[in-house]
Amino acid sequence: MLRVDAGGAVDALPELDAGALPAAVAALEAAESPHWVWADARRWYPGLLGAGVRIGRAHDLRLCAAILAGSAAAELARRVHPPAPAWVSAPRGGAERVPAAAALFELDGEAPAERAPDEPATAARVFTEFGRQQAIVRDSAAPGALRLLLAAESVGGLIGVEMESAGLPWDPGLHERVLEEALGPRPAHGGKPERMAELAAEVRTALEQPGVNLDSQADLLRALQRAGIAVATTRRWELREHEHPAIEPLIAYKKLSRLLTANGWAWLAEWVQGGRFRPEYVPGGAATGRWATNGGGALQLPKQVRRALVADPGWRLVVADAAQLEPRVLSAIARDPAMAAAGRGRDFYAGLVDRGVVEHRDAAKVAILGALYGATSGESGRLVPRLARAYPRAMAHVDTAAREGERGGVVTTFLGRSSPSPSAGWRALQSAASQPGASAADERRARSSARDWGRFTRNFVVQGSAAEWALCWMGELRKRLMAMDAGAPSARADASGPAFAGVPHLVFFLHDEIIVHSPAELADEVAGHVRESAAEAGRLLFGDFPVEFPLDLAIVESYDQAG
C-alpha cells in the first residue's frame, strides 16, 4: 500500500502478513479516516466486509474512468492527458474477488508471475491512474460538478457491495406460501403448477385449439389470430383491447408464468440462503447512471413476493421513496421556480391541478410522462403544450436535449455524465436520407430514428440527474448511519454478517426507493436520518434553489406493509 498525505508526500507502508489486512485497514480507518483508492470495490471490498471491516470513503478507479471516458465536460482535458490503461477500462464481469488477506492493490486478472519485469508495482500503477483521473477533472470544463459525481459514484460502489454482503432479509417459508397460494403445490419433476395447468386448459378450450403451446409466443400468436383475435403481439395491454373468453384466463396464465419464471421455486433455491437474498448490484449499469443487477432480479421484485422480505426478529424495515422525483429534478436542473413551486409542501401532481394546468391528478401524471418521453399524440400529446405554457424553462430544457439527440449530439446530466453517441447504424440511416436520390422510405426511417434518439436524450438529462440525486441521498444516509451510536441492540441480525449485525444498514435501492434494516429501537431515529439526507442531497446538488424532495416513508416488519 501507498499512503499520500495532504501535502502530496508518498510513503510505502510495510507489507502485511496473510490475514493482517483487515486489522490494518480497520486501524487506519479509526486513526485517520483515509480516502482509499482502489481499482474496483467489487473486487476488494467483500473480503474486508467478511472480516467485519467497513471503510468510510473510497475512489473507485473503474467506475470513475467510465464516467470520465464519456463526459463531454472532460472532452478537451482527455486530449491532453494519457488514455486510460486497459486494466481500468476492461469489462468488470467475472472478476474473481480477492480475499481480505490479499495485497490491497493487486489488480484484476494479474498474478505477479504474469507481469513483465519492467512494469511498476501495482500500488504505483493505481497511484498513477488516480493522478490521471484527478488531472482530467481539474482541467475539465466543470471540475466541481465532476468531482462530486465521481465521489457519489464511488460511494455508490461501496453501497452496492455492502448491500450484497448484508443481503435482503428473506423468509423462504413465507415465499413458499406465496407461491403455493398463487400457483398451487410445488409440481414434481418440473411440471406445470396446478393453477397454471387449469388456466392453460381454459385458454385452449376457449380458443378451440387443444394443442396450442401457451409458452411459445409464435404458437400462441397464431392460435389467437386463428380464433379471430386480431392482435400483433401477446402483450397484456394489447390483449385487453379484445373481448374473447380466452383473454382473461390467458392474462392470468401469463402473470403466473412470470411469477414462476422470475421468482418461483428455482429462484428461491438459487438466490436465498441463510435467510438472505444477496443480488449483485451494478452501480452505473445503465447509460443514465441508474443501477442494474447481475442476476436475481432485485430491481423487479413483484408485489406478490414482497411479503417474504421480512425484517429479522427485533428489527424493522425503514422504507422510503422520493415522491415524484423526476419532475422535481427537472425543475431544479432547468431552474424553473414555477415548476418547483408546484411541488412545494404537497404532492407534485396535485400542484399541477391546483395551478389549473390540468384537470385532475391522473392527467398530471400523463402530462409529465409525455414531457419526459416526448409524447406528440394521444392524451399525453394533448397535455404537453399546457406544461410548456405553465413551465417554459423546464420544457425548453428537455426540448433542447431532444433536438440535440435528433442531430446525433451528446447531452449531459447535471453533474456531468454524458449520453452515448448514436450507433453507426443510426448515422448510416441519417446519411442515406441526405444522399441524392434518397427515397421517401429512407427519409421516413431517418426521421423516425432521429425522433427515437431525441426521446432518449430528452429523458437522459432528467433520469440521469435524478440518479445523481439518489446517489447523494444514499451517500449522505450511509454516512449518518455509520456515525450512529447503535449501542447494544436488543436483537442482532447475525445473518447480515459481522459488519452489519448490530447496526442499521442499507439493504435495498431501486432508482428512487431505499430500504434500511434497523434495530426496532432505532427505527424512528433512522427514519429521521432518511428524511434529512434527502433534503441534504437537494442542497448539495442544487444549492438554495427552492425545490423540495419529500418522501413516502414507512416503518414496517415486511416490505408489503409499506404500501
Side-chain angles (χ1 to χ4, degrees), residues 87-394:
W87 60 263
V88 83
S89 56
R92 298 171 64 223
E96 179 185 356
R97 293 182 180 180
V98 178
L104 183 59
F105 289 121
E106 190 74 40
L107 300 180
D108 288 358
E110 293 186 321
E114 296 174 324
R115 297 195 195 102
D118 59 345
E119 283 187 334
T122 54
R125 295 179 66 194
V126 167
F127 180 64
T128 299
E129 171 56 15
F130 180 62
R132 186 192 75 89
Q133 293 187 9
Q134 293 294 96
I136 289 176
V137 171
R138 181 195 66 223
D139 296 339
S140 72
L146 275 179
R147 197 169 289 116
L148 177 55
L149 176 56
L150 299 190
E153 190 83 342
S154 292
V155 79
L158 294 178
I159 292 169
V161 178
E162 289 174 351
M163 291 200 304
E164 180 181 353
S165 179
L168 276 164
W170 206 271
D171 186 329
L174 265 177
H175 192 131
E176 290 265 9
R177 287 201 288 278
V178 168
L179 295 177
E180 289 173 359
E181 289 169 6
L183 298 165
R186 181 174 185 173
H189 311 301
K192 280 280 186 290
E194 180 180 281
R195 182 58 182 145
M196 286 182 66
E198 293 171 353
L199 289 168
E202 287 185 47
V203 173
R204 292 181 181 118
T205 298
L207 293 176
E208 299 181 350
Q209 298 178 63
V212 62
N213 179 4
L214 270 61
D215 298 321
S216 165
Q217 296 298 309
D219 197 18
L220 176 59
L221 187 59
R222 285 193 296 268
L224 292 169
Q225 292 169 345
R226 282 196 296 267
I229 305 171
V231 290
T233 73
T234 62
R235 294 189 181 96
R236 189 182 308 175
W237 64 267
E238 187 172 357
L239 292 173
R240 287 199 181 280
E241 293 179 354
H242 300 270
E243 292 187 8
H244 190 279
I247 297 299
E248 287 306 318
L250 176 56
I251 289 173
Y253 178 91
K254 289 169 70 68
K255 184 177 180 180
L256 294 184
S257 178
R258 175 164 177 76
L259 173 63
L260 177 66
T261 302
N263 298 100
W265 288 280
W267 179 92
L268 186 60
E270 179 179 1
W271 286 99
V272 179
Q273 289 89 34
R276 291 295 185 267
F277 167 37
R278 290 185 168 90
E280 177 186 331
Y281 293 94
V282 184
T288 58
R290 277 188 168 186
W291 286 23
T293 56
N294 189 9
L299 304 185
Q300 297 178 354
L301 292 176
K303 290 184 177 179
Q304 295 125 298
V305 303
R306 292 182 181 183
R307 281 169 49 195
L309 204 174
V310 181
D312 287 359
W315 286 59
R316 296 291 184 271
L317 304 175
V318 181
V319 182
D321 66 272
Q324 305 100 33
L325 175 59
E326 290 189 350
R328 295 175 189 274
V329 166
L330 173 56
S331 73
I333 62 178
R335 289 297 194 263
D336 191 323
M339 192 173 193
R344 194 167 304 129
R346 58 186 167 182
D347 176 273
F348 184 87
Y349 299 132
L352 298 190
V353 177
D354 291 346
R355 283 181 56 89
V357 180
V358 292
E359 292 81 8
H360 50 82
R361 191 175 186 278
D362 287 345
K365 294 174 71 173
V366 169
I368 289 295
L369 284 174
L372 296 179
Y373 291 93
T376 57
S377 60
E379 183 71 357
S380 291
R382 182 181 70 82
L383 294 172
V384 165
R386 298 190 186 184
L387 286 179
R389 288 192 294 271
Y391 311 119
R393 289 188 184 181

Side-chain angles (χ1 to χ4, degrees), residues 64-75 78 410-412 416-420:
C64 294
I67 291 173
L68 293 177
S71 176
E75 182 177 1
R78 287 194 300 269
V410 167
V411 297
T412 299
R417 191 189 305 266
S418 293
S419 63

